[in-house]
Structures are given as structure tokens and as C-alpha cells.
Amino acid sequence: MTLKLTIDTRAWRDHVKHVHEEFPGLVPVAKGNGYGLGLDVLAREAERLNSDCLAVGTAHEVATVREAGWSRDVIVLNPWRPFDETATALLDDPRVITVVSRLTDLDELRTTHPGTRVVVELMTSMRRHGITPQEIASVDAGKLGFEGWTMHLPLKGQLSEAKQLASEAVAHQRGAVWVSHLGVNDYRRFRTQLGVQTRMRMGTRLWLGAPQALRTTATVLDVHRVARGARYGYNQSRAPRDGWLVIVSGGTSHGIALSAPSPARSLRQRGVSLAQGVLDAAGVSRSPFSIAGRKRPFAEPPHMHASMVFVGGTSAGVEVGDEIPVTTRQTTTTCDELVWN
Ligand SMILES: *Cc1c(COP(=O)(O)O)cnc(C)c1O
């Protein structure tokens, strides 16, 4: 009864290795659901790459990658806050690098935890975390282990912004510069022009950049014939026409039908949202499950571990035990089983 992720091991590892070589100083990011592969898997793959440092999202995730055997440096991407007890407990760990994004936090750490390895975050046009360019002159790492500067860039790599900020920061205090989301060429330029060590944090492009190497499938658990008007499901809805209820593995606990909001900017995207809105209004919602080459509508909202989809017509097109393709968003889906082919 599983949702399964099948990895074409060779193709996937070739891609990961290629990207790793393309970006000197790359720091693999293992956070959240481990990009659908799991934090433990990513920690072991980082080990295979012989990375010297792994980035995690939160202080809580440090324990998970340690349990998976990662024993080298870890950088916690979420900036430290005085009320985060888990992060505070890691300050004295010599293999943990802490991100500091406010002058007040830097002041506090300097007096309470000298020796902590820190990277100071600079505010970019992202406007998430970081000290402003005007504050750079006030940065005093004192007896802290200063490991450099970091910035989180918007998805469209902003080379000029990165260079401007980094050169101001490096002029104040020399150190490595950690970045994200620059393309290969921009990163190369950035690296050569800056003249300090650079570290590229990367998750999506590294782990998910070869989508053809990752395949998610569900198993058909039951197939029931229904006549038009027959009632079914928690909601006792009526079948819209003669057809089949196909019960498949994969439900809310796996993140099925959970979609991260995406910016609906282009007209085409708006058209898609509109079309989905019409479907929703009609009580028909397209599921990520494909049967006989077509995405089928949910017969009702997904259950915890299984989903009911509707197939109209005289043939269901599948039998119990068949595996069917599922289109998932890797960062919101967690499979029960990973198969390395
Ligand atoms: C998540 C994250 C990354 C990696 O982002 P991807 O788009 O998955 O490569 C890099 N830096 C920071 C600060 C992050 O939070």
C-alpha cells in the first residue's frame, strides 16, 4: 500500500555529480522533506560527493542528518534567534555554523558565546532576513569564529546585486561569501571578480534537476464498477456517469493534492487557474494520478493514505496491483518507499 519513488540511480547520481563539479564550493542543501528523497538520503549522498559542509534549514534538522551519519560541518540556514533553544544548544558545537542576520543577535552572541562559528547574512532584494548595507560598517564579530557573509538571492540570479553587496561586505571584513540561485556563468564571474572563497548553496537544481531520473508511482488497490447516480465515498456523492471508482495508494499524509501556491503571473497560467476554478466549481478536481495515459479526476477529496479517482466508460483501464504514474511536486510529497534502480 505504498506511494513509491523510483530513482534511476545512475542518471540521478551522474546529474548530481555534474552539478557539483560545475559549481566549485557547492554546499548541498538538505532541508524540509529532503526534496522528496528524505534528509537521510541527501546526507548520505553529500557524503558520496565528499562535501565538506551540508546546509540544513532549521536547527531541528541537524539531529536528523547526524543520525544519518553526517559528521562534518553543518550550516543552519534559518538565522539564529535568541528564543530558539534548539539553535542555541548548537552554538558551542564546533561543527555547526550559525547564520546571524541582526546586529543585536551578533552583539548577544559575541558576549554570551564567543567562539561560535558564524556567517553574517546580508539583506538582498528578497527582503527575508539580513542586515542592511548601511549596517555593514557596524559588524563586529569580535571573538566569534567569523566564517564570512551570506546572501539569499531571488530566483532570477541577481549578479550585479550580489557583487555590489559582497564587495561592500568583504571590504569591511574579509571572508568567504555564501550565495544561492546564481547560474553557472554568473557564479563563475562572481567567483573570479570577488577574489575570496565562494560557497554556493543549492537544493532544487542539485537534487531535482534531472526530473526524468525520478518517477513516482501509486498502486491500484481496488476497482469498483459504478452506475450513473450510484452513491459512494465519505460524502455520498453520486457518480456523474457509468464508470469505475479506482482506489489508489497515496493520500493526504503523502502530500497528495497539496500544492504549494505558485505565482500566477503569465496569462497562460491564469488561464490554467481559471480552468481549474471552473472544474472545482463543478465538483470535479483533476488528480495527479494517470490512468491509461490521462489524469483522472478525484471522485472525492483524498483520504489519509488512499485516494478515490473516477474513470468513466466501459473499461477501467487498470487492475488491482497495477502501478500508475503520479505527477507530484517533490517538495510537498513524501513517498513510503524509495526504489533505487
Ligand atoms: C532553501 C534555501 C536554499 C536552496 O534553495 P533551492 O532553490 O532549493 O536551491 C539556499 N539558501 C537558502 C537560505 C535557503 O533557504
Side-chain angles (χ1 to χ4, degrees):
M1 295 258 281
T2 60
L3 196 68
K4 196 194 285 183
L5 176 64
T6 305
I7 301 139
D8 178 340
T9 311
R10 184 139 173 225
W12 186 73
R13 286 210 173 121
D14 280 353
H15 161 82
V16 169
K17 186 159 169 283
H18 173 72
V19 174
H20 187 254
E21 285 163 3
E22 246 184 343
F23 289 87
L26 189 139
V27 178
V29 175
K31 66 182 180 188
N33 72 341
Y35 293 83
L37 291 137
L39 294 178
D40 51 342
V41 167
L42 299 188
R44 285 193 290 270
E45 292 300 320
E47 190 95 44
R48 283 181 68 90
L49 291 170
N50 208 13
S51 298
D52 60 340
C53 184
L54 184 65
V56 297
T58 67
H60 288 92
E61 291 169 344
V62 174
T64 313
V65 298
R66 288 284 185 240
E67 275 156 32
W70 180 261
S71 57
R72 301 180 191 166
D73 285 354
V74 178
I75 182 167
V76 180
L77 298 179
N78 269 11
W80 179 78
R81 289 290 180 267
F83 46 80
D84 186 339
E85 287 168 18
T86 311
T88 301
L90 292 170
L91 291 172
D92 300 317
D93 184 331
R95 285 162 313 157
V96 171
I97 301 171
T98 299
V99 172
V100 183
S101 70
R102 301 185 304 176
L103 290 179
T104 50
D105 294 337
L106 193 64
D107 291 343
E108 181 166 343
L109 289 184
R110 207 172 47 229
T111 49
T112 59
H113 290 270
T116 295
R117 296 171 71 190
V118 298
V119 163
V120 176
E121 180 156 5
L122 300 160
M123 176 75 85
T124 67
S125 54
M126 278 276 291
R127 294 193 182 278
R128 191 162 80 173
H129 304 296
I131 64 161
T132 63
Q134 296 74 31
E135 291 173 319
I136 290 175
S138 310
V139 168
D140 171 12
K143 290 204 171 61
L144 293 167
F146 181 73
E147 301 271 340
W149 305 93
T150 181
M151 56 184 112
H152 194 38
L153 296 163
L155 285 182
K156 292 272 151 54
Q158 309 286 3
L159 178 62
S160 56
E161 178 180 6
K163 276 199 303 206
Q164 174 71 29
L165 261 180
S167 50
E168 282 176 43
V170 169
H172 174 69
Q173 178 152 359
R174 227 180 139 71
V177 178
W178 304 57
V179 290
S180 61
H181 301 141
L182 285 178
V184 180
N185 294 330
D186 282 355
Y187 182 63
R188 193 174 297 133
R189 264 178 232 131
F190 182 70
R191 222 175 138 68
T192 47
Q193 291 172 11
L194 212 59
V196 294
Q197 194 197 3
T198 56
R199 311 285 336 232
M200 177 75 170
R201 295 180 304 266
M202 195 189 287
T204 307
R205 181 169 175 180
L206 180 67
W207 309 122
L208 304 179
Q212 70 287 354
L214 302 172
R215 194 163 51 88
T216 306
T217 50
T219 307
V220 174
L221 304 174
D222 247 321
V223 180
H224 307 299
R225 181 159 213 159
V226 281
R228 176 167 186 252
R231 290 191 181 278
Y232 66 85
Y234 281 124
N235 302 319
Q236 290 292 285
S237 318
R238 287 182 185 278
R241 54 201 171 100
D242 289 353
W244 307 82
L245 287 173
V246 179
I247 323 301
V248 296
S249 62
T252 52
S253 77
H254 304 93
I256 287 294
L258 230 187
S259 61
S262 57
R265 248 186 252 107
S266 75
L267 271 181
R268 201 187 76 81
Q269 281 170 321
R270 281 196 200 139
V272 170
S273 309
L274 198 68
Q276 187 57 50
V278 171
L279 282 177
D280 288 345
V284 179
S285 173
R286 200 154 68 110
S287 83
F289 300 100
S290 291
I291 293 175
R294 268 171 52 202
K295 295 255 181 70
R296 303 297 173 160
F298 279 116
E300 72 167 358
H303 302 170
M304 186 79 86
H305 291 110
S307 295
M308 297 175 87
V309 297
F310 183 77
V311 178
T314 51
S315 160
V318 280
E319 289 176 14
V320 173
D322 283 355
E323 288 192 8
I324 60 168
V326 194
T327 310
T328 58
R329 186 178 173 116
Q330 285 283 131
T331 49
T332 57
T333 311
T334 302
C335 291
D336 301 296
E337 195 184 349
L338 261 57
V339 178
W340 297 84
N341 266 353

